[in-house]
Amino acid sequence: MGKDLMVKPSENLDRGRYRRKVQRCLDTLARMLTDGSFSFPRKNIGLEVELNLVDRELRPSMTNTAVLDALDDPSFTTELGQHNLELNVPPRPLAGESALQLEDDLRGYLAAAGAKAEDTGSTLAMIGILPTLRHEHFDQKWLTNSTRYSSLNDQIFAARGERLSLSIEGAALPGQQPELLRSYSESILPEAACTSVQLHLQVAPEEFAAHWNAAQCLAGVQVALGANSPFLLGKALWHETRIPLFQQATDTRPEELKNQGVRPRVWFGERWITSIFDLFEENVRYFPGLLPETDAEDPIEALESGLAPKLTELRLHNGTVWRWNRPVYDVVDGLPHLRIENRVLPAGPTVLDVVANAAFFYGAQRALAEAERPVWTQMSFQAAEENLYAGARKGFDAQLYWPGIGWIPPDELVLRVLLPLAHEGLRRSDVSDAARERYLGVIEQRCLTRRTGSSWQRAYVLKAQESGLERDAALTQMLSRYLELSTANEPVHSWPSSLTG
């Protein structure tokens, strides 16, 4: 969402002016796409990791400001909750040994942040949803002290006109009945429970639609392969509970608007696209502004003067529509470019798993985007969306639809179809053989063992409860063991399944 706001929206409520400015930004973007105004020297990748802080009892530690002050590193920044940090890894080319260097860099960043966190009595936890979160941690007082976050909270609740309700029916633990979460919140802090890894890929404007459509096709497979968020408020829910939780936590619609079919702000989309402009135009057409701040720039005048327009209002608006694959316009060193931001993956379990997930995505996405007969011309958009929810809910037990095959489990789909495509896509991207084999080898073994972070967490908690522990104690013990194993950086498919091994 960019920089902090200058004033609260309540102090600047000229929504008509804001709407006109957003439209002018959109018109400017259209001209830039037509005129060939974008820089594209090479395919750069980027990565963001959202992190949790826990105290010595493994409960959320509301210390992000202290940790950031101690770190004094611009690569780390705040996130919505006081128990969250965000790491922004500098962009780099995909080719060569870059992925291996990314793994080393990530380890270095996390080691530095972990050391500073320890000084404040906290520990870093890289996990999709912190299993020790409780309802009291959703109190508005735990929002990070920022105009941006408090304004977003106020505007979402003003639009809803009622408190936030959470309703999620779980996928049953083996031998158990499905569990049901019914809860509520007076703040948007349930969103802060959703800690993710966001993958960025810089693409040329003419290639954007193919890469975005390919990313949409992969979303269900990605969440099934990378699931790491099975528990929330003491309940065993979806394998990737972030998916329904994030949608519900930022929903501006009361029940009446849901019943009318008004679109949610966390959105898969509704159609395949032919241009990045389609996505920005939909955002402007369907969603009212949540943070209606304007700046003094006239974007068309800036463009005609030979400058790269900031498009501030369009970018801010885009940051409050949470597509699972989000279009990004950015300006770096005075040059404008376009990126796809892939947002479906949870954080963790290990750095190696994170980089393996990224390598699979970048490789498979490129191969699908460049296919002679694109896969999205052979399946409905609704099928791709249903794959996302099926993969998130059931993990490797899901049945996904794929053209030419029909219904197939995610592990079989990856091993038979997508893993060879990912290898080919990374070869075309000039990724070194060592990097390609290291990271896609992790994906292969994860499929063969059918073990994700989520399935490991679920199995551990079930065994801990069978040994006599109550659910809360089992979750705390599981998190302790998870943190021990995740810092060792052995991929999750190799983690021991016993309580003590």
Side-chain angles (χ1 to χ4, degrees):
M1 283 172 49
K3 62 181 178 63
D4 199 8
L5 301 179
M6 299 300 294
V7 294
K8 283 199 168 190
S10 59
E11 301 167 21
N12 183 16
L13 281 176
D14 188 351
R15 293 185 180 272
R17 180 172 182 269
Y18 173 79
R19 187 179 293 112
R20 290 190 296 274
K21 189 68 182 295
V22 170
Q23 184 61 52
R24 193 158 178 84
C25 288
L26 187 65
D27 294 342
T28 305
L29 177 64
R31 283 182 58 173
M32 295 175 73
L33 291 168
T34 301
D35 297 346
S37 301
F38 287 93
S39 164
F40 187 67
R42 59 187 177 184
K43 269 192 171 71
N44 273 349
I45 61 170
L47 184 144
E48 301 171 46
V49 186
E50 296 168 348
L51 304 162
N52 291 282
L53 293 162
V54 295
D55 61 21
R56 288 183 171 86
E57 285 72 45
L58 302 184
R59 296 300 176 97
S61 178
M62 306 301 179
T63 55
N64 66 352
T65 301
V67 174
L68 287 170
D69 288 345
L71 266 170
D72 192 26
D73 182 343
S75 297
F76 288 89
T77 186
T78 58
E79 252 298 328
L80 184 67
Q82 291 183 29
H83 67 284
N84 298 139
L85 298 175
E86 182 177 277
L87 166 62
N88 294 280
V89 181
R92 62 199 63 211
L94 177 58
E97 304 281 304
S98 183
L100 297 169
Q101 187 60 53
L102 174 62
E103 183 184 350
D104 288 344
D105 289 351
L106 268 175
R107 284 206 194 109
Y109 280 119
L110 295 179
K116 296 300 183 183
E118 289 290 343
D119 292 342
T120 69
S122 303
T123 300
L124 282 184
M126 187 168 64
I127 191 168
I129 292 177
L130 194 62
T132 52
L133 278 167
R134 294 295 174 263
H135 187 269
E136 60 264 27
H137 300 126
F138 295 158
D139 191 299
Q140 187 172 343
K141 68 182 180 182
W142 299 125
L143 280 170
T144 294
N145 185 20
S146 160
T147 302
R148 164 187 164 189
Y149 299 131
S150 60
S151 297
L152 185 65
N153 181 83
D154 294 347
Q155 291 298 304
I156 285 177
F157 274 87
R160 283 181 62 86
E162 60 192 45
R163 69 184 182 178
L164 172 71
S165 60
L166 301 174
S167 177
I168 305 173
E169 183 176 353
L173 295 172
Q176 307 290 311
Q177 292 297 312
E179 298 177 28
L180 181 65
L181 175 68
R182 291 279 191 272
S183 189
Y184 66 91
S185 177
E186 303 284 355
S187 78
I188 60 168
L189 274 168
E191 179 191 338
C194 306
T195 42
S196 65
V197 167
Q198 295 155 27
L199 305 176
H200 291 253
L201 178 67
Q202 184 179 345
V203 293
E206 63 273 14
E207 298 175 351
F208 188 95
H211 279 81
W212 187 85
N213 289 341
Q216 295 285 92
C217 293
L218 288 170
V221 181
Q222 282 183 276
V223 293
L225 270 178
N228 196 32
S229 313
F231 294 100
L232 174 65
L233 299 181
K235 302 284 189 179
L237 300 173
W238 292 20
H239 279 254
E240 192 45 48
T241 305
R242 281 176 47 259
I243 299 299
L245 176 59
F246 198 93
Q247 181 165 330
Q248 293 179 24
T250 54
D251 202 340
T252 56
R253 306 168 302 165
E255 289 299 322
E256 293 81 1
L257 293 185
K258 293 179 188 178
N259 294 337
Q260 292 174 36
V262 172
R263 295 162 180 82
R265 295 190 85 103
V266 175
W267 200 33
F268 187 76
E270 61 190 14
R271 62 190 174 106
W272 306 119
I273 65 168
T274 58
S275 166
I276 187 174
F277 185 80
D278 297 348
L279 302 179
F280 281 106
E281 191 273 336
E282 285 179 351
N283 288 355
V284 172
R285 179 154 44 104
Y286 294 145
F287 301 102
L290 285 181
L291 303 172
E293 180 177 311
T294 60
D295 69 10
E297 179 190 71
D298 183 311
I300 290 180
E301 288 182 4
L303 181 64
E304 290 176 346
S305 299
L307 301 175
K310 292 181 290 184
L311 305 187
T312 302
E313 294 80 9
L314 187 65
R315 292 162 70 187
L316 184 60
H317 186 66
N318 189 54
T320 62
V321 180
W322 292 274
R323 292 179 182 269
W324 294 113
N325 285 292
R326 176 188 274 167
V328 176
Y329 168 91
D330 206 355
V331 180
V332 177
D333 297 329
L335 297 175
H337 71 258
L338 303 174
R339 302 195 305 269
I340 293 172
E341 181 187 25
N342 176 256
R343 303 168 50 83
V344 301
L345 289 168
T350 68
V351 169
L352 179 52
D353 285 302
V354 166
V355 181
N357 289 340
F360 172 77
F361 172 71
Y362 290 130
Q365 183 196 36
R366 173 158 186 173
L368 290 176
E370 295 178 354
E372 186 173 339
R373 187 184 178 198
V375 66
W376 57 90
T377 66
Q378 305 169 59
M379 66 188 295
S380 70
F381 194 86
Q382 182 183 12
E385 183 175 18
E386 290 173 354
N387 281 351
L388 171 67
Y389 294 115
R393 189 169 195 272
K394 295 188 176 181
F396 280 137
D397 293 326
Q399 290 287 319
L400 307 182
Y401 177 79
W402 199 258
I405 296 176
W407 298 99
I408 184 171
D411 50 317
E412 187 177 345
L413 175 59
V414 171
L415 292 170
R416 283 175 52 186
V417 178
L418 294 175
L419 197 58
L421 288 176
H423 276 284
E424 180 59 28
L426 293 182
R427 285 191 197 96
R428 291 185 203 168
S429 300
D430 298 320
V431 173
S432 72
D433 288 345
R436 178 176 54 79
E437 291 167 5
R438 174 172 174 78
Y439 301 118
L440 296 186
V442 168
I443 298 299
E444 180 180 27
Q445 289 302 310
R446 205 186 294 162
C447 290
L448 291 172
T449 58
R450 304 187 92 239
R451 176 174 293 167
T452 62
S454 180
S455 62
W456 183 89
Q457 290 184 55
R458 287 162 61 94
Y460 190 104
V461 167
L462 185 59
K463 288 179 182 178
Q465 289 185 232
E466 289 171 346
S467 74
L469 292 182
E470 297 294 329
R471 173 61 62 83
D472 281 358
L475 288 170
T476 301
Q477 180 176 300
M478 179 275 288
L479 181 58
S480 177
R481 183 67 172 139
Y482 175 101
L483 294 176
E484 178 186 346
L485 292 168
S486 65
T487 54
N489 205 40
E490 291 297 323
V492 71
H493 71 259
S494 68
W495 287 10
S497 57
S498 65
L499 297 182
T500 57

